[in-house]
Amino acid sequence: MKIANLVNRRTFTKGLAGMAIATTALTALTFGARAETNLRLAVPDPIGSSVGVAATRFAELVKEKTGGEVTVDVFPDGVLFGGDQNAAVNQLGSGALDGLILASSVYASFEPRMNAISLPYLFSNYGQLQSYLRGKPGKELLGSLDKLGVKGLGFFLRTFRDVTTRDTPITKLEDFKGITIRTPNNPLFVALFQKLGANPTPMAFSEVYSALQLKAIDGQENPVEVPLHNRFYEVQGQLNLTQHIADSFLIALSGQAWDRIPEDHRAEVQAAADEMIAEHDANEIATEEKIIDELQEKGMKVNRFADGELARVQKVARSIYPQFKEQIGADFVDESLAFVDADKASGAKTGQ
């Protein structure tokens, strides 16, 4: 009887030990699963570009704030979406892409209100653009992505868009006449350059360098860091500081990827996006002149509008507002114009 009790106690002890080991293993598997929450973030430009640096910083901050339980791998140069930016938005909505950073002007093909950001010469300075993106209009635009199955984390600014050309300097309104300029596949951009007298040619960004090289187009328009990091200075001789349109980058996750993030880490991922955006914006504005100088060093001639010409160009450019009011949404256009006017008035009162 004593031997039987001893055997039973030993069996019971082994059973407890086995349960403890199993519990430990299950706990390890649980934490291991959390540690394996990995997101693949696609960006359209090289890793050393403004957007590539922003993506890398976001990945660092996510890892830091979540203790490594959520990680982000950055894939530059549009490799995850074949360079087709419209296709990338579709892939993000379907969950085929976990995360994406793209220009807000690309999203305008899916959410027309995004075009409000790019109304030509709407913003006079970067402070106004930042106020807009972080204020009520920007929050409304982020919320509009829900219907696409996309979780918008925030906007970060790009410097204003400028035109590069092969040979033709642009210093007055008439200089736009007849120039073939690549634009995004966005009706607002096309209408603007048609109104200015140019020949806008929508084209996938991945095709731009070869089209410039083969002289199929005369020029393109983008923030100045784009011709620098994509080596357009090799096939373009003129940098024209037209500053015609504001744009922004939008960092977003698919709804499915957002749901995969442990609920107690979602606020930390959002905080990582917010911190990256604040850092990026300050750096972007500070480096614009440095980039212009660097492009000049690489052989590009820098051109600015002659006296009185900016006002002429602005008048023509803003004449397309009524054309897009219905497409964007009359109420949202009015809200945007009122917001910017109020911000301008506030800046004037405070001496900014």
Side-chain angles (χ1 to χ4, degrees):
M1 186 71 177
K2 290 181 180 178
I3 293 174
N5 288 339
L6 181 61
V7 170
N8 286 337
R9 283 198 298 273
R10 286 176 177 173
T11 301
F12 179 69
T13 302
K14 287 181 179 178
L16 287 176
M19 289 175 63
I21 292 170
T23 301
T24 301
L26 182 59
T27 301
L29 284 171
T30 301
F31 280 101
R34 285 173 64 91
E36 292 170 8
T37 304
N38 176 259
L39 306 175
R40 305 203 317 163
L41 178 64
V43 298
D45 295 336
I47 198 66
S49 68
S50 174
V51 65
V53 170
T56 301
R57 181 58 177 153
F58 172 67
E60 292 171 351
L61 288 167
V62 167
K63 184 175 182 180
E64 174 188 311
K65 291 180 183 297
T66 65
E69 292 187 10
V70 180
T71 58
V72 177
D73 292 331
V74 179
F75 292 81
D77 296 312
V79 294
L80 292 187
F81 51 86
D84 186 336
Q85 297 186 9
N86 280 2
V89 178
N90 284 321
Q91 290 173 39
L92 185 69
S94 71
L97 287 178
D98 292 333
L100 182 65
I101 299 179
L102 271 187
S104 57
S105 55
V106 178
Y107 280 88
S109 297
F110 304 85
E111 171 47 76
R113 281 178 289 180
M114 290 285 179
N115 267 327
I117 299 171
S118 297
L119 286 169
Y121 295 107
L122 175 62
F123 305 102
S124 302
N125 56 57
Y126 292 125
Q128 291 170 9
L129 176 58
Q130 286 177 299
S131 294
Y132 183 93
L133 295 176
R134 296 174 185 178
K136 184 175 181 290
K139 289 181 171 62
E140 187 172 337
L141 289 173
L142 285 179
S144 74
L145 298 174
D146 292 347
K147 66 179 180 291
L148 301 178
V150 172
K151 169 65 178 178
L153 297 179
F155 293 101
F156 53 105
L157 66 77
R158 307 180 80 183
T159 54
F160 294 139
R161 299 175 80 98
D162 297 300
V163 174
T164 66
T165 47
R166 184 171 54 254
D167 302 313
T168 306
I170 297 175
T171 60
K172 58 184 185 298
L173 176 60
E174 288 76 14
D175 292 335
F176 287 99
K177 188 172 179 60
I179 295 175
T180 302
I181 297 177
R182 178 269 175 183
T183 67
N185 187 19
N186 181 314
L188 186 147
F189 285 68
V190 172
L192 168 62
F193 284 101
Q194 284 177 337
K195 198 73 174 178
L196 292 173
N199 297 320
T201 303
M203 181 183 297
F205 183 76
S206 57
E207 301 172 9
V208 175
Y209 185 95
S210 59
L212 293 169
Q213 187 176 39
L214 295 171
K215 301 183 180 180
I217 54 177
D218 301 312
Q220 60 85 52
E221 55 80 52
N222 260 303
V224 290
E225 62 100 8
V226 173
L228 176 64
H229 292 294
N230 292 276
R231 305 177 70 89
F232 290 169
Y233 52 81
E234 296 176 341
V235 288
Q236 296 277 269
Q238 307 289 328
L239 172 59
N240 308 290
L241 299 181
T242 52
Q243 307 271 281
H244 52 278
I245 276 179
D247 201 354
S248 63
F249 274 118
L250 171 58
I251 180 168
L253 301 177
S254 72
Q256 295 175 38
W258 181 253
D259 290 342
R260 288 202 338 260
I261 298 171
E263 192 169 351
D264 56 333
H265 284 321
R266 290 175 192 166
E268 294 161 339
V269 172
Q270 180 63 65
D274 294 342
E275 186 172 336
M276 177 275 287
I277 288 168
E279 291 178 4
H280 166 89
D281 283 4
N283 184 66
E284 189 82 346
I285 296 168
T287 58
E288 183 177 28
E289 285 300 323
K290 295 178 183 177
I291 292 174
I292 293 171
D293 289 343
E294 192 168 349
L295 287 169
Q296 195 166 18
E297 290 170 4
K298 292 183 179 299
M300 297 193 78
K301 181 183 176 185
V302 177
N303 307 302
R304 291 175 169 82
F305 286 124
D307 290 346
E309 289 299 317
L310 174 59
R312 292 183 67 212
V313 171
Q314 287 176 330
K315 183 177 181 180
V316 172
R318 288 171 176 162
S319 70
I320 72 168
Y321 283 21
Q323 179 181 341
F324 286 89
K325 194 168 186 177
E326 184 175 347
Q327 179 190 340
I328 295 171
D331 290 345
F332 192 69
V333 170
D334 289 342
E335 178 187 336
S336 296
L337 293 172
F339 186 94
V340 173
D341 286 343
D343 190 76
K344 288 177 182 177
S346 174
K349 289 176 183 177
T350 58
Q352 293 178 357

